[in-house]
Amino acid sequence: MEDVSGDNGVLKEVVRSGTGSTVPADASVAVNYSAYLEYSDKPFGTNCSRNPRRLMKIGEDITLLGLEIALMSMKKREVARFLFRPDYAYGSMGCPPLIPPNATILFEVELLDFLDTAESDEFFKLSLVEREAFPLDKIIKAAGTEREFGNHLFRQKQYYDAKDRYKRACFILDQKYYSGTEKERVDSARLLVFLNLSLTYFKLDHPTRALVYGERALGIDERNPKALFRCGQACFALMEYEKARDYLIRAQREQPFNQDINNELKKLAGCC
């Protein structure tokens, strides 16, 4: 087994190789894991029966030293086994009644996904004055991280939590006034978040809010087919059929062969 701690405290065996870069220290991770006492066949802890997998932050949600070191040696989609010496696991006290004192622990871990939240974490620790001076590249990256976090939650159908992450992305992007090319970059980021919020509010059965964010997206790109479609869906749900038809026809002009748009127009025709 590979020594990943440098003192044989955390040993690693790769079962399936991953792809991309390794997990950074400030990341939030989604994992499958099972934990065993050495030479035991039955895990004393596992999350494999839970669904969905939530993102957990290293150093906050994950505090077992051996597991932190193990995760930072892994790549996305990797599966590995780790052996933790007692001082990298539960120490001389153990964790009665499941874990005896001075126990060597085996972890089987699959890294499903991770997000590097360093810029986002840094931003929210700043004062208002410091946020004004925060570099634009970091602003865009921090907002993008929050949006990715929201996308992860959305895929897990955790729409309310996804909405909160998208709102955090908006908050980051709205900290100061931008002009010129900087405004174009920020508006491009805002457009994606507004589209996410419009869809998320629609999933939450709040078509009025879905329409608000769809229209905000159109304020940035008046011909955006996704924004036009979201506004059409929202107006349809609000029984504002003429407005729905107008938005959907405009969306169809942009994407004539989009099946979702055409199907929504057929549904609307049956109501008018």
mmCIF file of all heavy atoms in Angstrom, residues 122-135 139 171-172 174-178:
data_model
loop_
_atom_site.group_PDB
_atom_site.id
_atom_site.type_symbol
_atom_site.label_atom_id
_atom_site.label_comp_id
_atom_site.label_asym_id
_atom_site.label_seq_id
_atom_site.Cartn_x
_atom_site.Cartn_y
_atom_site.Cartn_z
ATOM 1 N N GLU A 122 -13.445 32.463 1.023
ATOM 2 C CA GLU A 122 -12.683 33.680 1.277
ATOM 3 C C GLU A 122 -13.577 34.910 1.152
ATOM 4 O O GLU A 122 -13.511 35.825 1.983
ATOM 5 C CB GLU A 122 -11.518 33.778 0.280
ATOM 6 C CG GLU A 122 -10.618 34.980 0.490
ATOM 7 C CD GLU A 122 -9.517 35.085 -0.549
ATOM 8 O OE1 GLU A 122 -9.387 34.159 -1.381
ATOM 9 O OE2 GLU A 122 -8.792 36.113 -0.539
ATOM 10 N N PHE A 123 -14.433 34.940 0.130
ATOM 11 C CA PHE A 123 -15.292 36.101 -0.107
ATOM 12 C C PHE A 123 -16.194 36.376 1.092
ATOM 13 O O PHE A 123 -16.323 37.514 1.534
ATOM 14 C CB PHE A 123 -16.142 35.876 -1.358
ATOM 15 C CG PHE A 123 -17.124 36.976 -1.623
ATOM 16 C CD1 PHE A 123 -16.742 38.109 -2.312
ATOM 17 C CD2 PHE A 123 -18.430 36.887 -1.164
ATOM 18 C CE1 PHE A 123 -17.638 39.145 -2.545
ATOM 19 C CE2 PHE A 123 -19.334 37.910 -1.389
ATOM 20 C CZ PHE A 123 -18.941 39.042 -2.078
ATOM 21 N N PHE A 124 -16.825 35.339 1.627
ATOM 22 C CA PHE A 124 -17.800 35.549 2.695
ATOM 23 C C PHE A 124 -17.141 35.864 4.036
ATOM 24 O O PHE A 124 -17.823 36.244 4.983
ATOM 25 C CB PHE A 124 -18.732 34.344 2.811
ATOM 26 C CG PHE A 124 -19.791 34.321 1.740
ATOM 27 C CD1 PHE A 124 -19.702 33.451 0.672
ATOM 28 C CD2 PHE A 124 -20.861 35.192 1.789
ATOM 29 C CE1 PHE A 124 -20.660 33.445 -0.329
ATOM 30 C CE2 PHE A 124 -21.831 35.201 0.801
ATOM 31 C CZ PHE A 124 -21.726 34.315 -0.270
ATOM 32 N N LYS A 125 -15.821 35.746 4.110
ATOM 33 C CA LYS A 125 -15.108 36.142 5.317
ATOM 34 C C LYS A 125 -14.685 37.613 5.275
ATOM 35 O O LYS A 125 -14.240 38.165 6.278
ATOM 36 C CB LYS A 125 -13.863 35.269 5.515
ATOM 37 C CG LYS A 125 -14.173 33.817 5.867
ATOM 38 C CD LYS A 125 -12.893 32.992 5.936
ATOM 39 C CE LYS A 125 -13.196 31.523 6.227
ATOM 40 N NZ LYS A 125 -11.957 30.697 6.199
ATOM 41 N N LEU A 126 -14.833 38.249 4.122
ATOM 42 C CA LEU A 126 -14.364 39.620 3.952
ATOM 43 C C LEU A 126 -15.359 40.638 4.509
ATOM 44 O O LEU A 126 -16.565 40.387 4.550
ATOM 45 C CB LEU A 126 -14.138 39.917 2.466
ATOM 46 C CG LEU A 126 -13.093 39.077 1.731
ATOM 47 C CD1 LEU A 126 -13.095 39.442 0.245
ATOM 48 C CD2 LEU A 126 -11.712 39.268 2.328
ATOM 49 N N SER A 127 -14.838 41.791 4.879
ATOM 50 C CA SER A 127 -15.695 42.920 5.239
ATOM 51 C C SER A 127 -16.264 43.534 3.961
ATOM 52 O O SER A 127 -15.819 43.224 2.848
ATOM 53 C CB SER A 127 -14.898 43.966 6.000
ATOM 54 O OG SER A 127 -13.940 44.566 5.132
ATOM 55 N N LEU A 128 -17.241 44.435 4.094
ATOM 56 C CA LEU A 128 -17.823 45.101 2.927
ATOM 57 C C LEU A 128 -16.767 45.870 2.144
ATOM 58 O O LEU A 128 -16.772 45.872 0.908
ATOM 59 C CB LEU A 128 -18.946 46.042 3.371
ATOM 60 C CG LEU A 128 -20.217 45.379 3.916
ATOM 61 C CD1 LEU A 128 -21.189 46.444 4.412
ATOM 62 C CD2 LEU A 128 -20.874 44.517 2.846
ATOM 63 N N VAL A 129 -15.867 46.533 2.843
ATOM 64 C CA VAL A 129 -14.807 47.303 2.179
ATOM 65 C C VAL A 129 -13.874 46.357 1.419
ATOM 66 O O VAL A 129 -13.483 46.629 0.271
ATOM 67 C CB VAL A 129 -14.015 48.131 3.205
ATOM 68 C CG1 VAL A 129 -12.816 48.811 2.544
ATOM 69 C CG2 VAL A 129 -14.922 49.181 3.850
ATOM 70 N N GLU A 130 -13.517 45.239 2.029
ATOM 71 C CA GLU A 130 -12.618 44.287 1.385
ATOM 72 C C GLU A 130 -13.267 43.637 0.166
ATOM 73 O O GLU A 130 -12.588 43.350 -0.828
ATOM 74 C CB GLU A 130 -12.196 43.212 2.395
ATOM 75 C CG GLU A 130 -11.252 43.722 3.472
ATOM 76 C CD GLU A 130 -11.041 42.700 4.585
ATOM 77 O OE1 GLU A 130 -11.982 41.915 4.878
ATOM 78 O OE2 GLU A 130 -9.943 42.702 5.173
ATOM 79 N N ARG A 131 -14.578 43.439 0.225
ATOM 80 C CA ARG A 131 -15.275 42.859 -0.930
ATOM 81 C C ARG A 131 -15.208 43.782 -2.138
ATOM 82 O O ARG A 131 -15.165 43.324 -3.277
ATOM 83 C CB ARG A 131 -16.728 42.557 -0.564
ATOM 84 C CG ARG A 131 -16.885 41.374 0.369
ATOM 85 C CD ARG A 131 -18.331 41.193 0.809
ATOM 86 N NE ARG A 131 -18.448 40.128 1.784
ATOM 87 C CZ ARG A 131 -19.578 39.804 2.410
ATOM 88 N NH1 ARG A 131 -20.698 40.477 2.137
ATOM 89 N NH2 ARG A 131 -19.604 38.831 3.294
ATOM 90 N N GLU A 132 -15.212 45.091 -1.894
ATOM 91 C CA GLU A 132 -15.109 46.061 -2.987
ATOM 92 C C GLU A 132 -13.810 45.885 -3.764
ATOM 93 O O GLU A 132 -13.757 46.145 -4.965
ATOM 94 C CB GLU A 132 -15.188 47.481 -2.426
ATOM 95 C CG GLU A 132 -16.582 47.920 -2.036
ATOM 96 C CD GLU A 132 -17.436 48.271 -3.245
ATOM 97 O OE1 GLU A 132 -16.878 48.764 -4.227
ATOM 98 O OE2 GLU A 132 -18.659 48.032 -3.183
ATOM 99 N N ALA A 133 -12.749 45.458 -3.065
ATOM 100 C CA ALA A 133 -11.436 45.314 -3.693
ATOM 101 C C ALA A 133 -11.150 43.894 -4.155
ATOM 102 O O ALA A 133 -10.075 43.621 -4.685
ATOM 103 C CB ALA A 133 -10.355 45.765 -2.705
ATOM 104 N N PHE A 134 -12.107 43.001 -3.971
ATOM 105 C CA PHE A 134 -11.910 41.594 -4.351
ATOM 106 C C PHE A 134 -11.761 41.503 -5.870
ATOM 107 O O PHE A 134 -12.590 42.039 -6.608
ATOM 108 C CB PHE A 134 -13.109 40.766 -3.885
ATOM 109 C CG PHE A 134 -12.827 39.314 -3.643
ATOM 110 C CD1 PHE A 134 -11.832 38.908 -2.772
ATOM 111 C CD2 PHE A 134 -13.574 38.318 -4.286
ATOM 112 C CE1 PHE A 134 -11.586 37.571 -2.527
ATOM 113 C CE2 PHE A 134 -13.330 36.980 -4.055
ATOM 114 C CZ PHE A 134 -12.329 36.596 -3.173
ATOM 115 N N PRO A 135 -10.705 40.842 -6.385
ATOM 116 C CA PRO A 135 -10.462 40.811 -7.841
ATOM 117 C C PRO A 135 -11.635 40.180 -8.604
ATOM 118 O O PRO A 135 -12.269 39.233 -8.119
ATOM 119 C CB PRO A 135 -9.202 39.952 -7.972
ATOM 120 C CG PRO A 135 -8.555 40.004 -6.628
ATOM 121 C CD PRO A 135 -9.668 40.126 -5.637
ATOM 122 N N ILE A 139 -14.155 36.969 -8.029
ATOM 123 C CA ILE A 139 -15.604 37.154 -7.925
ATOM 124 C C ILE A 139 -16.326 36.146 -8.826
ATOM 125 O O ILE A 139 -17.267 35.463 -8.404
ATOM 126 C CB ILE A 139 -16.001 38.590 -8.336
ATOM 127 C CG1 ILE A 139 -15.554 39.594 -7.280
ATOM 128 C CG2 ILE A 139 -17.501 38.700 -8.608
ATOM 129 C CD1 ILE A 139 -16.460 39.731 -6.087
ATOM 130 N N PHE A 171 -25.671 37.181 -4.894
ATOM 131 C CA PHE A 171 -25.156 38.119 -3.895
ATOM 132 C C PHE A 171 -23.704 38.474 -4.190
ATOM 133 O O PHE A 171 -23.305 39.650 -4.113
ATOM 134 C CB PHE A 171 -25.281 37.498 -2.505
ATOM 135 C CG PHE A 171 -24.780 38.375 -1.398
ATOM 136 C CD1 PHE A 171 -25.572 39.380 -0.873
ATOM 137 C CD2 PHE A 171 -23.505 38.192 -0.861
ATOM 138 C CE1 PHE A 171 -25.106 40.198 0.157
ATOM 139 C CE2 PHE A 171 -23.029 38.993 0.168
ATOM 140 C CZ PHE A 171 -23.840 40.000 0.674
ATOM 141 N N ILE A 172 -22.905 37.483 -4.540
ATOM 142 C CA ILE A 172 -21.492 37.725 -4.847
ATOM 143 C C ILE A 172 -21.357 38.643 -6.057
ATOM 144 O O ILE A 172 -20.534 39.572 -6.067
ATOM 145 C CB ILE A 172 -20.764 36.389 -5.096
ATOM 146 C CG1 ILE A 172 -20.672 35.574 -3.795
ATOM 147 C CG2 ILE A 172 -19.357 36.623 -5.656
ATOM 148 C CD1 ILE A 172 -20.199 34.148 -3.980
ATOM 149 N N ASP A 174 -23.426 40.837 -7.158
ATOM 150 C CA ASP A 174 -24.102 42.130 -7.014
ATOM 151 C C ASP A 174 -23.428 43.052 -6.010
ATOM 152 O O ASP A 174 -24.038 44.024 -5.556
ATOM 153 C CB ASP A 174 -25.563 41.913 -6.582
ATOM 154 C CG ASP A 174 -26.402 41.318 -7.695
ATOM 155 O OD1 ASP A 174 -25.957 41.340 -8.857
ATOM 156 O OD2 ASP A 174 -27.501 40.808 -7.405
ATOM 157 N N GLN A 175 -22.177 42.809 -5.677
ATOM 158 C CA GLN A 175 -21.526 43.579 -4.627
ATOM 159 C C GLN A 175 -21.117 44.974 -5.047
ATOM 160 O O GLN A 175 -20.967 45.862 -4.214
ATOM 161 C CB GLN A 175 -20.304 42.825 -4.097
ATOM 162 C CG GLN A 175 -20.665 41.626 -3.233
ATOM 163 C CD GLN A 175 -21.543 42.021 -2.058
ATOM 164 O OE1 GLN A 175 -21.109 42.701 -1.139
ATOM 165 N NE2 GLN A 175 -22.796 41.604 -2.080
ATOM 166 N N LYS A 176 -20.918 45.192 -6.348
ATOM 167 C CA LYS A 176 -20.529 46.538 -6.776
ATOM 168 C C LYS A 176 -20.933 46.751 -8.229
ATOM 169 O O LYS A 176 -21.331 45.815 -8.926
ATOM 170 C CB LYS A 176 -19.021 46.763 -6.599
ATOM 171 C CG LYS A 176 -18.119 45.854 -7.410
ATOM 172 C CD LYS A 176 -16.656 46.204 -7.133
ATOM 173 C CE LYS A 176 -15.698 45.349 -7.955
ATOM 174 N NZ LYS A 176 -14.280 45.691 -7.717
ATOM 175 N N TYR A 177 -20.830 48.013 -8.664
ATOM 176 C CA TYR A 177 -21.211 48.380 -10.026
ATOM 177 C C TYR A 177 -20.059 48.064 -10.969
ATOM 178 O O TYR A 177 -18.896 48.334 -10.675
ATOM 179 C CB TYR A 177 -21.551 49.866 -10.091
ATOM 180 C CG TYR A 177 -21.833 50.349 -11.486
ATOM 181 C CD1 TYR A 177 -23.067 50.103 -12.091
ATOM 182 C CD2 TYR A 177 -20.852 51.040 -12.200
ATOM 183 C CE1 TYR A 177 -23.327 50.545 -13.385
ATOM 184 C CE2 TYR A 177 -21.109 51.484 -13.488
ATOM 185 C CZ TYR A 177 -22.342 51.219 -14.075
ATOM 186 O OH TYR A 177 -22.586 51.646 -15.349
ATOM 187 N N TYR A 178 -20.407 47.504 -12.126
ATOM 188 C CA TYR A 178 -19.403 47.180 -13.139
ATOM 189 C C TYR A 178 -19.768 47.909 -14.431
ATOM 190 O O TYR A 178 -20.939 48.215 -14.696
ATOM 191 C CB TYR A 178 -19.354 45.683 -13.415
ATOM 192 C CG TYR A 178 -18.970 44.846 -12.220
ATOM 193 C CD1 TYR A 178 -19.949 44.264 -11.418
ATOM 194 C CD2 TYR A 178 -17.641 44.637 -11.893
ATOM 195 C CE1 TYR A 178 -19.591 43.498 -10.316
ATOM 196 C CE2 TYR A 178 -17.281 43.866 -10.796
ATOM 197 C CZ TYR A 178 -18.264 43.307 -10.009
ATOM 198 O OH TYR A 178 -17.916 42.541 -8.916
#
